Every structure is written in C-alpha cells, then in structure tokens.
Amino acid sequence: MRIGLVTQGGYPYVSGDAGLWCERLVRGLAQHEFDVYALSRSRQQEDEGWVALPPQVVGVRTASGWTTDDDGVGYGRRARRRFAECYGELAAVLSTATAVGGPGATASATGDDALGAAVHGGGPEDEADRFASALYGLAELAREEGGLAGALRSEAAVRALENACRAPGAQRAAREARVPDLLAVAAHLERALRPLSLDWYEDDGLGAADVCHTAAGGTAALPGLLARHFRGVPLLVTEYGVQVRSHYLAACADGTAPAVRALLAGFHRRLAAEVYRQAAVVTHGNAHARRWQERCGADRTRLRTVHPGMDAAPFAEAGESPEAADPLTLVWSGRVEPAKDLVSLLHAFAEVRKEQPRARLRIVGAAAGPEGAAYLGHCRALAAQLFPDEAEGPHTVGDNPVSFEEIGGPEAPTQAAVYASAAVVVLSSVVEGFPVGLVESMFCGRATVSTDAGAVVEVIGGTGLVVPPRNPRALAEACVTLLRDPERRARLGAAARARALELFTVEQNIAAFHGIYLEIVSHNPVRHVLLDDSGDPLPFAAPAEAHVPGHWTGPTAPVAAQDGPVAAQHGPGRPGGAPTRPTVPAPATPPAPSVREAVR
C-alpha cells in the first residue's frame, strides 16, 4: 500500500524529533511505499540535510515550519469577507472555550491536575463543530486563493481576535487581553495554521495515499486532517507525547501571559479534539498518554497501544552475562536535570551506606542545558558533603563512593557497559514520560528500583521494585533489600529482560503498525484506479484486503465511523476521481536542503 508519512521537525532530517522510530518503521516495512511530508523545525535542521533514504521512500516533500515567505496573495473583497467570517468564528470559539487561565483553572495551576481541569471544562458539541467549520473554511479559502500567510498576519486577524475577546460570553482571561497579548496569539496562530496553505492535498500528493500517518498530534497532524477533509484519506495519528499537555506545561513554564495562555490552550485543545474525531486510529505509547487522549475527546474504540520500539542488540551481551555485575554497585543513568531528583537519590544512598558500607553509586549522564548544569553542580557538592573522601589507611588516597561520569569516558564507554556493572539500576524521577533508560536496563537483565512516575509501573510490570517519588527512605530500603538478596536480583533481572524483549523491541513496534495499516485499509477500500507508464490499469495497485466484502466495510464499523464532510459525500472509502499514476522513484542523491520542496 502507499503510506503518506507526515512529520514535523523529524524524519527525514538528520536531527529531528521522533526521527529514529520513523526511520525504523519505514525500513522495516519494505513491502510498502512511503511518501514523506516533512515540516522543518529550523534553518539549521534544513542545512544539516537528510538521512539516507531506503528505496521504499518514493517521494519527499518539505516545507518550512519555522518561517514563511510572503505568498503575495492579494484577496479581493469577497475573499476578505470570507476570511473575516472564518477567522472571526475561530477566534470566537477560542475566546469562549474554558481553558487554562479561565474558569476551572487558575493562572498559577501547574501540572496534570490543572490540565485535567482545563480539559474537563470543555464546551458543548456545537462548539467543536464551529471550530471545525472555521478551520476547514480557512483551508478551503487557502486552496482557492493560493495561501493564507498575508491574511493571518494582517490587521484584520488581530481585530477579529480583539472583537471576540470583547464580545459577551468571552472568558475572563480573554477579556483581559491587551494588544501585545493579541499580537502574540495572532503570531502563534499564523505559525500553527501554515499547513493550511500547502499544496500537499491533491492527487499528486497526500490525496494519492492509501493511509496518512502523522508522527505526532496537534498542529503536526493538520496535513493529515486536511487530506482527510479534501480527499477522504484515512488518518492514523501516533502520539508518544500528548501535544495538548506538552503545550500547556511549556506555557506554564515560560511565564506566558494568562490571556495568551487561555486562548492558545483553547486552540490546541479544540484542534486535538478534531484530530481525534477524524482519525481512523490514534496510537499512544503508554496508559498515561491514553488517559489524556481520552480526556481530550478521543474515542476509546479507536485507541491502540503501540509501545516505542527500541534496539535490543547493543544490550544482548550484557543481558546474557548477569555475573558481570558488581554485587554492591547501584547505577543511575540519564539526563541530569531537576526532574530526575538526584538529591533524593543521594540522601537514599546515605541510608544504604549505613546498611552496606561498601556499596557504591554511579551517576552516569550529561547535564540537560544550563539548568541541568547548575543542578549537576549542586549534586556534586551534596555528594561531597554527604560522603567525604575516606581513606582505608594513613598512606592511601581517599575515595568517594559516589562517582559522576558521562558516556564515552574510560569507565563508561557505552550505555550497555554502564548497566552491565550494576547490581541494581535505580530511577528516582518525580516526572517521567516513557522511561527509555529503564527499558535499556531491562534488556541487560538487571533488577531495578524505580519511583512511581509516568509510565514506570506500566513498563516494569512485576519485574522490579517501585516506591513513591520523593521518598529517600523507601528508595533506600528497596535498594538494600535487593543488594542483600542476589537470588531475587537474578530472578527479577531475568523476568525484566523477558518482558522487555516481548514488548519493547523494534520488531514488535513495526509489526503493530503493519497490522494497524491493514486494519485501516480494510475499512477504507481504495476507490481510484492507478495507471502504469503505458496508461493501462496497474495490477495489484490496491491491497487485496481492500476488496474483501463484508460488514466491516460499512459506515457503522468502529474504525470507519467518521463524521467528516468527505465521509458524508463519498462514504467510508476514498473519493472517486480520475485515474492517477504512481509516483516516479526519486534520484539517489537528495537535493540541497535549501530547496523548499523536493518531489522524489
């Protein structure tokens, strides 16, 4: 089948978010064709170029996600009136939606509780319909007139926001918006809505795909949403981090004004709800992300769990040699930042030393930015205070039982070597997403002690000890328990390795997505005809499962039950239309990164 893979700041660029799992997915499904549609994150990313592409990538289109040129489109009176109506409706929905900073969520609220209040405070169904109507109205205007860039940056856009915030029924935070706040919101919406002006949605682009797979939700899913709207292409959305939650936490952290935070939270929440409503399937990596998807309006029948796939090969040798571990060594590995709570770990290790005087703690990892560097310095000072260098005799050099190292050093040449030295691997985080380091230690067959944060419990299952966050005494007791019981460590390590190899490998990730592709196509049969070079119908252009008749191809099937405008016009499958030809394979050498769009 033909898959349109949409990324934002990721694959196929050398440096990009989620680039690795996208590359593994594409390379692992050589039997299918992929067209990649990539929004770049920065000029530096564009200059760094692409990774080497496998033959199954038959086309690549790129567009700038960080800047936009003036499209030179001048609207006539009718187009200006139409833009004012659509953008005004969008602004009205955002100004009345209960969001961060509005009723139910205070400006000082932080974390998941405040976001939960914002999400649960959503408006009625007609508000979602108004948002969708305004969004698709802007997309259709951009399609007919040639772009939206100038209109989204115009004074008319700012005035529409101002009128919406001053209108009766606007939430309190929106009513308090000042001109700088309105300009900030307008600028953010202009960046977020840039995909509406792209020419990716016709039969020579995403319109020719059997499935559109977006590597993230939120604004990254807009191309897939528009392909669904204009051409009826079924949409698959993968979220390894819920974009609404990420946006909210970022806005709280950078001190965004309450009015800006309220309006933008309303936009991202409404966009997420529309993406979930139109998607055939939405995948997530853990139960924590699933709960947020459900809170944002995702239908449970369309949700699938696909754990991130990780390469187990580098850790195979360590996993098969559990005897290589030092029986008194604890290892922590990861990015050094306050959320990892190394302070609690150091205090816990002080308690461990009281029971196991010869125990050692290795802290392996680099600082994450300036804040991480400051935190690392604080932790080094604390370790020197808690564990002054002790010499065994008057003629020997003192040694601190806590070491701070980085991968690549003489004592820590590889990540696998670090875990191989551990009797117990410790995770002390207070905030955690999907614990990659924990899975790597499980590949190595090491027993673990972890705090209950993020997806830790889901990943560990019953193969490790879990304690509450910010509880050094509980963390110390769990570590001492395993240090004293080598047989239990061995049993837990073996069980952890078996669980990781079963659930978290690249192979299971690829197999899961392959099954989802087949599921979606079976519910959305291809309606167009592909032609070969001679103009004859191309045999086997559509997957066999798309032709199997049955009740699952009807509009009542869970995956096909979508209420979008295209579904109402063309049924659950692809819209009819003129025959199309397959994309011509790309040349071996990619174009220069400065080229805005390259069709392969």
Side-chain angles (χ1 to χ4, degrees), residues 439-461:
V439 175
E440 292 174 344
S441 68
M442 294 168 69
F443 282 142
C444 293
R446 295 305 186 258
T448 60
V449 174
S450 312
T451 51
D452 185 3
V456 166
V457 172
E458 183 180 358
V459 168
I460 289 296

Side-chain angles (χ1 to χ4, degrees), residues 8 26 85 222 305 375 386 398-399 419 421 431 442 448 458 545:
Q8 186 177 49
V26 170
E85 291 174 355
L222 269 175
T305 300
Y375 187 70
L386 292 175
D399 183 27
Y419 292 128
S421 69
V431 177
M442 294 168 69
T448 60
E458 183 180 358
E545 56 270 15

Side-chain angles (χ1 to χ4, degrees), residues 100-336:
V100 180
T106 63
S108 61
T110 59
D112 289 349
D113 293 339
L115 180 57
V119 170
H120 284 302
E125 286 296 324
D126 63 340
E127 192 171 308
D129 293 337
R130 290 172 59 199
F131 177 86
S133 176
L135 182 69
Y136 297 134
L138 290 172
E140 290 163 1
L141 178 63
R143 190 185 192 194
E144 296 171 9
E145 299 293 334
L148 281 176
L152 291 173
R153 292 197 294 258
S154 67
E155 182 181 351
V158 180
R159 289 191 179 278
L161 286 170
E162 183 179 23
N163 293 336
C165 292
R166 305 293 183 260
Q171 55 179 305
R172 183 177 60 184
R175 293 196 302 269
E176 296 174 353
R178 300 181 178 180
V179 172
D181 300 331
L182 297 174
L183 292 173
V185 172
H188 184 97
L189 292 180
E190 186 273 325
R191 290 191 299 271
L193 297 176
R194 285 172 187 171
L196 273 60
S197 300
L198 299 176
D199 59 350
W200 290 357
Y201 314 115
E202 305 303 326
D203 285 336
D204 62 345
L206 279 170
D210 298 315
V211 176
C212 178
H213 185 179
T214 66
T219 57
L222 269 175
L225 197 61
L226 297 183
R228 168 76 179 85
H229 174 74
F230 289 126
R231 294 296 178 182
V233 181
L235 174 61
L236 166 62
V237 178
T238 292
E239 282 191 309
Y240 284 122
V242 179
Q243 299 301 306
V244 173
R245 180 176 182 271
S246 300
H247 164 79
Y248 172 72
L249 294 177
C252 290
D254 62 13
T256 303
V260 177
R261 190 163 68 241
L263 293 169
L264 295 185
F267 169 76
H268 286 281
R269 183 164 54 85
R270 286 300 174 198
L271 178 59
E274 179 63 17
V275 169
Y276 295 153
R277 184 169 69 160
Q278 298 299 335
V281 173
V282 180
T283 71
H284 48 266
N286 55 71
H288 185 258
R290 179 190 179 102
R291 287 193 296 270
W292 284 116
Q293 289 172 341
E294 290 178 356
R295 291 187 182 190
C296 293
D299 184 348
R300 291 186 178 184
T301 63
R302 304 183 191 181
L303 295 179
R304 306 287 187 275
T305 300
V306 180
H307 296 296
M310 298 174 57
D311 187 6
F315 308 98
E317 183 177 354
E320 295 168 359
S321 305
E323 68 280 356
D326 185 329
L328 291 175
T329 297
L330 304 177
V331 166
W332 179 96
S333 182
R335 295 183 306 168
V336 178

